[in-house]
């Protein structure tokens, strides 16, 4: 039966579930050719929300929504067009199927970790004029209405567009964002009919585009429009609005068709409906998403990171400055340090070792161009996982296209398999992906703190963008020059906004100047058991200001954040959310340009009143009053300083030979360590290497006592020359206990294998590298700005399987150990420049001594052979310089660059 087929497809969603499906009441199909032309679907309790689906005489579908009998959304068009069928008109009902959907699930992030959702769902089956079939699935819960289309055709299905539209009263208040793929435009308060007057705008004639989520208020009811359950089988969408009209129509990304392998279930067109408290607490977008595809989530850990880019833009390229941020995170119990654009592969492993020994994990920023292909992701993820990096921040996607969502699918699978957490920056908004892929810690999709400050924007976001999923706003930069809000406002932002990873924007010195804030941030979770709207809204109060006060619970403690936009006012927070008993309430507010903390005892019957300065705010922390509890703060337990020494630190071994070494782990002072293990990380050794020697363990390691181990490695017989780092690792239970991960202390023994035979330069580690555009590439051309995005090295039509791809001016340095006698390569400008570009090539020995050089070589010319005598050279430098006309198109290839070394 068509109803059964479509219903099963609808419940499956766009992403195949890997866990048990939602439970549902028995279905109740109707007979074919039902004469009714209007059908209703009510929320499970039949208490407030009703969706009315109507079919007019022309066979066109419209959906309306009422709340408590009052209209919220007027009848809006539904329908779908494919390359073969027009399913927007001439429709007739042939079947319907009803069920109650109940779902319980657990999140790793979000406003509520344990979820329970119940909805009433009806699948309507229609036939078009040409006999084609269309399913419309309408789901109503106590916090909103959603619908999607399903097509049970086999084989590929190409959707050319939707007739979907939400009809909003033209005089409804509106808080909308002109559409941009970055989602970084400002939001504007306007009306639904006049929204096109907002600037800047993405408009074509009298039609303008708006991004999700879009908020409207009519008759005291709020409606937040968005979409849910989007993946690479479809594209994202946005809303188009004709000037002065009431319809907000769904437009596919880039107005481009999408092709699904079929059968097809489209994303959910979603309206979160109710009072502001309902919207803030809504989990509807996640409820509509497919279940988690990650069975074991024990490696996923929300937390706070100190992030240097905002306050110290150049610091991600400075190892010593990054150590300062690691030290700050360690001292204040922050879980992570995020190293943004500018980091160097040459020192990141050292930084990771430094951080992990202090109980801090490292997150690395990536340009998505470096992770665009499967080969790029495989190479980078294997490398950074071996370094000990636990997660990535990926930037600059800026697209809602189907191909970009297919890339999201791929990187989400890859990070889940590698046990790497991920934050999407420069990204689209979340559409439920944190339920399906719980390693997603946050998503930008917002005009955040890095784009300047706007207190009104801050309030708007509490009732729009942050409702639909974690928001990477990068808040809390106290020392910002010309700051546009108060200290307390800045401190409140990471409470008001939910983000699985919260990236704090100030530097260690800026935080140290605000000790009251430091103490609060040390306590702040980033995932919550419960979230409540306490007071406020996006509109102006009678006093002319805007306010938002949210309370979030973690365990038995409530964290409260309040922000204000406008003139100073008293911010009021009814404390009914606290529940029974007496509570200790610690409040932080602005006082004479500083932060001041006050403490009082309250009950749920009380109302907190905080005088706020212009564009100010406050934070609070509440905990039950119990015997022996002095305050609400919990101790910050940090990893102690330890020492791990290897003996020797470096050793030489021939291919097939052996090298022995020892290691000693010591706690100089402090309480004894528990469950200590000293070992060699065998999983990170090259193929063919073996280790003998046992792990050393201690149930307890008191201060001053040494834990010592001895091992011997056997080098693989086919191991090429060079240096291999053998990781020696000591781990122990974190003194904080609970779910804190084990502390990882690591040093490396450098095993030097003498260079021998014929070697390719692209297989050797670089002592240093620089490049005029993007990274130096191994065994491929320079390509574009991303890593590993080049093509086969090709000069004058000849392809070289091995070599280096450089963009002049570019340079690499290689350690020859004084064991090689000859360097040779075929050099020239890669054919990918289409005959453009000009380069000179130079080979340098120790002390920058020239050994060989070329004249100016130009694009389209044949390769030139370049050879050099490198006898006795320890540091070989290969340099490509521009030919005097700038670096554009100067893609310099070192084809078959190889070395002849001692046997």
């Amino acid at each position: 039966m068509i109803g059964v087929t479509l219903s099963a497809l609808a419940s499956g969603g766009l992403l195949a579930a890997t866990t048990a499906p939602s439970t549902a009441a028995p279905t109740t199909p109707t007979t074919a050719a039902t004469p009714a032309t209007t059908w209703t679907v009510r929320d499970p309790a039949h208490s407030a929300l009703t969706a009315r689906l109507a079919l007019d005489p022309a066979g066109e579908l419209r959906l309306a929504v009422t709340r408590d009998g009052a209209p919220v959304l007027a009848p809006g068009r539904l329908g779908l067009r494919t390359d073969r069928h027009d399913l927007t008109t001439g429709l007739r009902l042939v079947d319907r199927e009803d069920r109650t959907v109940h779902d319980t699930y657990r999140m790793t992030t979000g406003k509520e970790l344990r979820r329970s959702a119940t909805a009433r769902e009806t699948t309507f089956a229609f036939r078009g004029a040409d006999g084609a079939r269309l399913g419309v699935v309408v789901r109503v819960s106590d916090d909103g209405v959603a619908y999607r289309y399903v097509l049970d055709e086999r084989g590929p299905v190409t959707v050319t567009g939707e007739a979907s539209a939400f009809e909003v009263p033209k005089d409804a208040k509106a808080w909308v964002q002109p559409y941009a793929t970055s989602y970084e435009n400002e939001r504007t308060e306007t009306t639904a009919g006049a929204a096109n007057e907002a600037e800047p705008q993405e408009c074509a004639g009298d039609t303008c585009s708006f991004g999700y989520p879009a908020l409207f208020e009519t008759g005291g009811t709020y409606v937040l429009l968005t979409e849910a359950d989007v993946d690479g089988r479809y594209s994202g969408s946005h809303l188009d609005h004709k000037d002065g009209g009431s319809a907000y129509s769904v437009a596919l990304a880039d107005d481009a068709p999408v092709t699904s392998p079929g059968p097809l279930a489209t994303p959910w067109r979603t309206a979160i409906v109710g009072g502001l408290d309902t919207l803030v607490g809504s989990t509807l977008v996640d409820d509509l998403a497919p279940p988690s595809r990650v069975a074991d989530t024990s490696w996923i850990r929300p937390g706070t990171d100190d992030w240097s880019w905002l306050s110290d833009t150049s610091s991600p390229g400075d190892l010593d400055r990054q150590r300062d941020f690691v030290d700050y995170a360690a001292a204040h119990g922050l879980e992570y340090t995020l190293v943004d654009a500018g980091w160097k592969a040459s020192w990141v492993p050292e930084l990771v070792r430094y951080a992990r020994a202090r109980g801090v994990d490292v997150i690395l920023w990536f340009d998505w161009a470096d992770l665009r292909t499967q080969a790029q992701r495989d190479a980078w993820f294997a490398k950074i996982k071996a370094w000990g990096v636990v997660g990535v921040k990926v930037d600059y996607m800026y697209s809602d296209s189907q191909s970009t969502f297919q890339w999201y699918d791929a990187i989400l699978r890859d990070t889940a398999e590698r046990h790497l957490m991920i934050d999407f920056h420069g990204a689209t908004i979340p559409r439920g992906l944190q339920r399906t892929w719980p390693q997603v810690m946050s998503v930008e999709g917002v005009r955040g703190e890095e784009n300047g400050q706007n207190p009104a924007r801050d309030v708007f976001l509490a009732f729009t963008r942050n409702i639909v999923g974690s928001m990477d706003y990068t808040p809390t930069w106290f020392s910002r020059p010309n700051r546009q809000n108060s200290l307390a406002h800045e401190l409140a932002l990471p409470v008001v906004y939910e983000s699985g990873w919260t990236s704090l924007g100030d530097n260690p010195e800026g935080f140290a100047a605000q000790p009251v804030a430091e103490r609060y941030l040390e306590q702040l979770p980033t995932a919550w058991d419960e979230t409540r709207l306490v007071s406020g809204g996006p509109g102006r109060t009678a006093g002319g200001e805007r306010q938002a006060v949210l309370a979030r619970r973690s365990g038995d403690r409530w964290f409260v954040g309040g922000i204000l936009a406008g003139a100073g006012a008293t911010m009021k927070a009814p404390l009914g959310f606290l529940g029974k008993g007496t509570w200790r309430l610690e409040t932080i507010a602005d006082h004479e340009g500083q932060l001041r903390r006050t403490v009082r005892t309250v009950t749920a019957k009380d109302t907190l009143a905080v005088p706020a300065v212009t564009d100010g705010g406050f934070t609070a922390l509440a905990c039950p009053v119990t015997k022996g509890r002095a305050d609400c703060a919990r101790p910050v337990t940090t990893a102690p300083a330890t020492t791990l020494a290897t003996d020797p630190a470096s050793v030489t071994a021939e291919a097939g030979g052996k090298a022995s070494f020892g290691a000693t782990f010591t706690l100089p002072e402090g309480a004894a360590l528990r469950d200590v293990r000293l070992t060699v990380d065998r999983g990170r050794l090259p193929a063919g290497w073996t280790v003998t020697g046992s792990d050393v363990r201690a149930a307890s390691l008191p201060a001053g006592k040494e834990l010592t181990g001895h091992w011997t490695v056997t080098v693989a017989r086919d191991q090429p020359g060079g240096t291999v780092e053998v990781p020696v690792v000591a781990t122990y239970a974190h003194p904080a206990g609970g779910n804190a991960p084990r502390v990882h202390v690591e040093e490396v023994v450098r095993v030097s294998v003498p260079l021998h035979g014929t070697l390719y330069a692209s297989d050797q580690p670089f002592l240093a590298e620089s490049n005029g555009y993007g990274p130096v590439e191994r065994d491929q051309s320079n390509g574009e700005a991303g890593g590993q995005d080049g093509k086969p090295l090709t000069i004058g039509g000849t392809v070289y399987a091995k070599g280096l791809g450089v963009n002049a001016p570019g340079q690499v340095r290689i350690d020859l150990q004084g064991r090689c006698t000859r360097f040779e390569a075929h050099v020239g400008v890669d054919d990918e420049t289409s005959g453009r570009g000009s380069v000179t090539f130079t080979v340098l020995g120790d002390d920058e001594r020239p050994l060989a050089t070329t004249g100016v070589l130009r694009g389209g010319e044949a390769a030139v052979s370049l050879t050099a005598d490198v006898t006795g050279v320890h540091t070989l430098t290969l340099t490509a310089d521009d030919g005097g006309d700038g670096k554009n198109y100067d893609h310099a290839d070192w084809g078959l660059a190889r070395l002849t070394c001692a046997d």
Side-chain angles (χ1 to χ4, degrees):
M1 291 177 61
I2 182 172
V4 173
T5 303
L6 293 175
S7 179
L9 179 58
S11 64
L14 279 171
L15 290 166
T18 58
T19 60
S22 306
T23 58
T27 58
T28 54
T30 64
T31 58
T34 304
T37 56
T38 301
W39 307 273
T40 62
V41 183
R42 299 182 183 275
D43 72 270
H46 294 270
S47 58
L49 295 184
T50 299
R52 286 188 169 83
L53 184 67
L55 189 66
D56 70 12
E60 296 181 355
L61 283 171
R62 285 177 170 77
L63 183 73
V65 177
T66 62
R67 179 179 180 233
D68 294 327
V72 175
L73 294 174
R77 282 289 305 275
L78 272 67
L80 196 68
R81 298 182 186 88
T82 74
D83 59 347
R84 289 187 284 179
H85 308 290
D86 182 356
L87 297 171
T88 66
T89 189
L91 300 173
R92 60 185 179 89
L93 182 74
V94 295
D95 199 3
R96 69 173 284 178
E97 194 172 281
D98 302 284
R99 66 177 190 152
T100 297
V101 178
H102 181 70
D103 206 359
T104 58
Y105 59 97
R106 183 174 176 83
M107 299 283 287
T108 59
T109 58
K111 65 184 76 173
E112 183 182 347
L113 293 178
R114 295 185 182 275
R115 308 283 181 87
S116 179
T118 302
R120 190 66 177 163
E121 181 183 280
T122 299
T123 300
F124 299 92
F126 297 93
R127 284 194 183 275
D130 63 357
R133 298 178 293 185
L134 171 70
V136 178
V137 186
V138 180
R139 186 177 290 190
V140 182
S141 61
D142 61 2
D143 57 347
V145 174
Y147 68 88
R148 76 188 322 170
Y149 307 109
V150 291
L151 299 174
D152 59 0
E153 294 182 11
R154 302 296 173 181
V157 177
T158 298
V159 175
T160 58
E162 297 184 21
S164 313
F166 296 98
E167 290 281 345
V168 184
K170 289 187 285 186
D171 61 352
K173 292 180 181 179
W175 294 267
V176 293
Q177 179 186 55
Y179 177 66
T181 54
S182 66
Y183 292 82
E184 290 182 355
N185 284 334
E186 293 282 15
R187 292 183 181 272
T188 303
E189 181 176 3
T190 179
T191 63
N196 290 24
E197 299 172 10
E199 295 290 343
Q201 276 289 36
E202 181 72 24
C203 299
D206 63 351
T207 300
C208 296
S209 299
F210 296 90
Y212 299 121
L215 178 65
F216 304 90
E217 185 269 325
T218 177
T221 292
Y222 289 83
V223 182
L224 190 70
L225 301 180
T226 188
E227 62 181 349
D229 188 12
V230 185
D231 75 355
R233 301 185 196 182
Y234 215 72
S235 73
S237 69
H238 55 270
L239 297 171
D240 280 352
H241 175 253
K242 185 172 289 188
D243 191 26
S246 59
Y248 281 77
S249 303
V250 174
L252 300 182
D254 305 323
D255 294 321
V258 294
T259 299
S260 167
L264 171 69
T266 71
W268 292 96
R269 307 294 165 218
T270 305
I272 304 173
V273 181
L276 286 174
D277 56 343
T278 297
L279 268 63
V280 168
S282 173
T283 61
L284 181 58
V285 171
D286 292 331
D287 297 341
L288 294 167
S292 173
R293 298 184 67 176
V294 180
D296 173 19
T297 61
S298 61
W299 52 277
I300 300 172
R301 187 167 63 123
T304 301
D305 63 80
D306 58 352
W307 169 58
S308 68
W309 184 87
L310 189 60
S311 59
D312 270 325
T313 305
S314 63
S315 66
D318 185 335
L319 172 59
D320 289 337
R321 185 57 171 156
Q322 289 304 300
R323 285 196 184 100
D324 293 341
F325 279 81
V326 168
D327 290 342
Y328 186 85
H332 295 274
L334 307 185
E335 290 84 355
Y336 303 102
T337 287
L338 167 58
V339 188
D340 214 276
W343 56 265
K344 303 297 183 184
S346 58
W347 53 253
V348 165
E350 180 182 346
L351 178 69
V352 173
R353 290 194 293 269
Y354 182 85
R356 296 179 82 185
R358 288 153 179 80
V360 177
D361 280 316
V362 172
I363 306 162
L364 280 186
W365 176 95
F366 277 87
D367 186 322
W368 91 294
D370 290 327
L371 300 173
R372 190 175 300 174
T373 68
Q374 190 67 54
Q376 288 175 306
R377 293 190 297 275
D378 287 346
W380 271 119
F381 290 166
K383 181 178 292 186
I384 66 172
K385 190 70 177 178
W387 292 346
V389 171
V390 298
V392 293
K393 172 183 177 179
V394 187
D395 208 345
Y396 302 138
M397 285 72 72
Y398 293 149
S399 175
D400 282 321
S401 69
Q402 183 177 21
S403 62
T404 302
F405 274 95
Q406 290 168 344
W407 174 85
Y408 280 117
D409 293 346
I411 196 170
L412 286 165
R413 286 193 300 268
D414 293 343
T415 50
E417 289 173 1
R418 294 279 188 180
H419 283 196
L420 287 169
M421 293 171 280
I422 190 167
D423 167 25
F424 290 114
H425 209 69
T428 190
I429 62 167
R431 294 165 167 90
L433 83 167
Q434 288 180 279
R435 179 185 179 186
T436 308
W437 298 102
Q439 80 272 23
V440 178
M441 293 290 98
S442 196
V443 178
E444 188 185 25
V446 67
R447 186 174 181 83
E449 183 97 346
E450 64 186 76
N451 291 307
Q453 294 176 301
N454 182 335
R457 175 215 304 161
D458 292 346
V459 176
F460 293 162
L461 291 175
F463 302 102
T464 53
R465 165 64 182 84
N466 202 206
I467 287 175
V468 300
S470 286
M471 185 173 77
D472 186 15
Y473 191 74
T474 61
T476 314
W477 184 5
F478 298 119
S479 63
R480 184 177 199 144
N482 303 311
R483 187 163 31 79
Q484 301 299 304
N485 58 18
S486 78
L487 294 169
H489 186 117
E490 277 291 288
L491 181 58
L493 290 177
V495 184
V496 174
Y497 300 151
E498 179 271 313
S499 182
W501 276 345
T502 295
S503 296
L504 301 179
D506 215 333
N507 54 42
E509 298 79 14
F511 286 121
Q514 304 298 332
V516 173
E518 283 186 308
R519 181 180 183 274
Y520 191 83
L521 292 171
E522 288 173 351
Q523 302 297 312
L524 191 63
T526 63
W528 305 96
D529 296 314
E530 191 175 353
T531 293
R532 299 278 191 93
L533 173 64
V534 179
S535 62
R540 296 184 185 274
T541 68
E545 79 282 354
R546 295 182 172 90
Q547 299 184 23
V549 181
L550 275 74
R552 302 187 189 272
R553 181 176 63 82
S554 176
D556 68 348
R557 299 191 298 173
W558 282 94
F559 293 79
V560 184
I563 55 176
L564 178 145
T570 297
M571 302 183 71
K572 295 184 177 181
L575 300 177
F577 59 86
L578 291 177
K580 297 179 180 180
T582 304
W583 294 73
R584 177 187 175 92
L585 183 69
E586 304 174 3
T587 305
I588 300 173
D590 297 293
H591 179 72
E592 298 180 353
Q594 295 296 318
L595 292 172
R596 183 173 69 174
R597 174 174 169 264
T598 58
V599 181
R600 72 198 75 181
T601 300
V602 298
T603 70
K605 296 179 180 179
D606 293 322
T607 295
L608 175 64
V610 181
V613 301
T614 298
D615 297 324
F618 74 93
T619 57
L621 173 57
C623 60
V625 173
T626 58
K627 186 177 180 180
R629 190 173 200 168
D631 59 34
C632 295
R634 294 174 180 168
V636 175
T637 304
T638 60
T642 57
T643 61
L644 175 60
T646 59
D647 183 23
S650 61
V651 64
T652 299
E654 300 282 347
K658 299 179 182 293
S660 298
F661 55 86
T664 301
F665 179 65
T666 311
L667 171 70
E669 59 183 13
L673 303 179
R674 296 180 297 106
D675 190 16
V676 185
R677 179 190 182 200
L678 183 61
T679 185
V680 170
D681 190 343
R682 294 164 171 82
R684 289 160 56 191
L685 294 178
W689 286 53
T690 59
V691 180
T692 58
S694 300
D695 294 353
V696 184
R697 297 177 181 271
S700 176
L701 184 66
K705 184 177 180 180
E706 295 181 344
L707 191 67
T708 302
H710 298 275
W711 299 270
T712 297
V713 295
T714 301
V715 180
R717 292 187 177 279
D718 59 353
Q719 179 68 35
T723 299
V724 174
E725 294 184 341
V726 176
V728 180
V729 177
T731 62
Y732 60 90
H734 198 293
N739 294 323
R742 292 174 63 82
V743 180
H744 179 108
V745 185
E746 178 178 316
E747 291 293 340
V748 295
V749 175
R750 290 175 172 84
V751 179
S752 179
V753 181
L755 298 176
H756 55 278
T758 299
L759 307 172
Y760 287 102
S762 58
D763 294 334
Q764 303 309 303
F766 297 155
L767 295 174
E769 64 176 291
S770 62
N771 206 37
Y773 186 65
V776 174
E777 300 286 5
R778 298 175 186 265
D779 302 329
Q780 58 183 288
S781 66
N782 184 83
E784 298 297 334
Q788 299 177 307
D789 63 356
K791 301 174 183 178
L793 294 158
T794 308
I795 309 171
T798 300
V799 178
Y800 300 91
K802 302 288 291 182
L804 301 173
V806 179
N807 193 114
Q811 185 180 88
V812 299
R813 296 179 186 272
I814 300 171
D815 180 12
L816 301 190
Q817 303 175 351
R819 292 180 53 82
C820 302
T821 57
R822 177 182 173 86
F823 170 81
E824 57 187 311
H826 301 275
V827 298
V829 179
D830 196 277
D831 288 354
E832 68 187 359
T833 67
S834 301
R836 292 168 289 190
S838 59
V839 183
T840 62
F841 295 80
T842 303
V843 181
L844 303 172
D846 296 331
D847 301 321
E848 302 292 314
R849 177 169 57 91
L851 302 177
T853 189
T854 69
V856 176
L857 306 183
R858 302 187 184 280
E861 297 178 349
V864 170
S865 294
L866 185 63
T867 62
D869 183 350
V870 295
T871 302
V873 170
H874 285 264
T875 300
L876 178 72
T877 303
L878 305 178
T879 299
D881 289 313
D882 76 78
D885 55 358
K887 69 178 183 180
N888 291 346
Y889 306 107
D890 289 351
H891 290 202
D893 290 354
W894 296 83
L896 293 179
R898 58 187 175 182
L899 295 153
T900 302
C901 304
D903 290 331

